[in-house]
Amino acid sequence: TLYHVLFGKTAAVDAIVRVESARIDLLPSGISLAEGEMRIRNEAGGELILREALEPLLALYDFILIDTPPNLGPMTANGLAAAHKVLIPVKTAFLDMLGIPLLLETVGKLQRRLNPNLKVVGILPTLHDPRLSVNRQVLDELQERLGEKTRIFPPVHRATGFDQA
């Protein structure tokens, strides 16, 4: 898993799982990354572990998609330090929207300190139900507060399949 790659137990190329039906390769994660977050905090240069681990894969792929936890912990910082672009998904709910300024501030710090090539592609509103006034209000507020600073993509509508997944 990614845990074994990050801590030098296996090479990234050896941990990749090919999903033929989807025509994608995955570097799977697991619950062990919860312990990995603590190890990263104690590791010298810990915020660069993922970038270093993915380096050998850059020549093999046109795109590498990094899915990070919905928090600003060490794994998210690692993902941002390794990335070239960041897309910020956010549920169209008020509490979820409140974290965006802090995330953008964190991205700015990482750009200055670790990854000057990191670019914010935009914000992707998700789990949007246009029938709910709160969802419409949040979408309007995202446009009003952040629309001049960053691109706000059209929302991904809520579907029952999301809940079932």
Side-chain angles (χ1 to χ4, degrees):
T1 67
L2 180 59
Y3 176 86
H4 300 100
V5 172
L6 293 177
F7 299 105
K9 296 179 180 177
T10 189
V13 71
D14 295 330
I16 290 175
V17 175
R18 177 86 176 138
V19 182
E20 294 292 337
S21 61
R23 296 181 17 215
I24 61 171
D25 291 348
L26 298 175
L27 181 50
S29 178
I31 193 68
S32 55
L33 271 185
E35 187 239 330
E37 284 211 326
M38 290 187 295
R39 284 187 66 181
I40 285 172
R41 287 187 180 135
N42 297 325
E43 188 99 14
E47 57 279 333
L48 299 174
I49 289 176
L50 182 61
R51 181 194 300 179
E52 184 179 86
L54 295 179
E55 185 73 31
L57 301 178
L58 296 178
L60 302 175
Y61 296 96
D62 294 327
F63 297 96
I64 297 175
L65 180 66
I66 303 169
D67 183 19
T68 63
N71 62 44
L72 294 175
M75 291 308 302
T76 301
N78 259 267
L80 292 170
H84 298 132
K85 296 179 182 174
V86 61
L87 176 65
I88 303 167
V90 61
K91 289 192 291 188
T92 50
F94 278 112
L95 289 177
D96 295 87
M97 182 185 67
L98 294 176
I100 293 176
L102 179 58
L103 178 60
L104 290 173
E105 181 182 318
T106 300
V107 167
K109 288 177 185 175
L110 283 165
Q111 285 170 318
R112 289 189 305 277
R113 296 175 183 165
L114 294 173
N115 189 355
N117 298 320
L118 183 63
K119 303 277 186 265
V120 175
V121 174
I123 296 171
L124 178 64
T126 63
L127 298 175
H128 181 70
D129 186 343
R131 298 171 298 178
L132 299 176
S133 61
V134 69
N135 283 196
R136 292 190 311 271
Q137 288 173 335
V138 168
L139 197 57
D140 290 343
E141 191 139 344
L142 282 172
Q143 278 293 3
E144 185 179 312
R145 287 185 182 188
L146 301 168
E148 290 183 19
K149 298 175 188 170
T150 188
R151 180 176 179 185
I152 309 294
F153 286 90
V156 175
H157 293 275
R158 182 177 200 92
T160 56
F162 290 148
D163 293 331
Q164 294 167 353

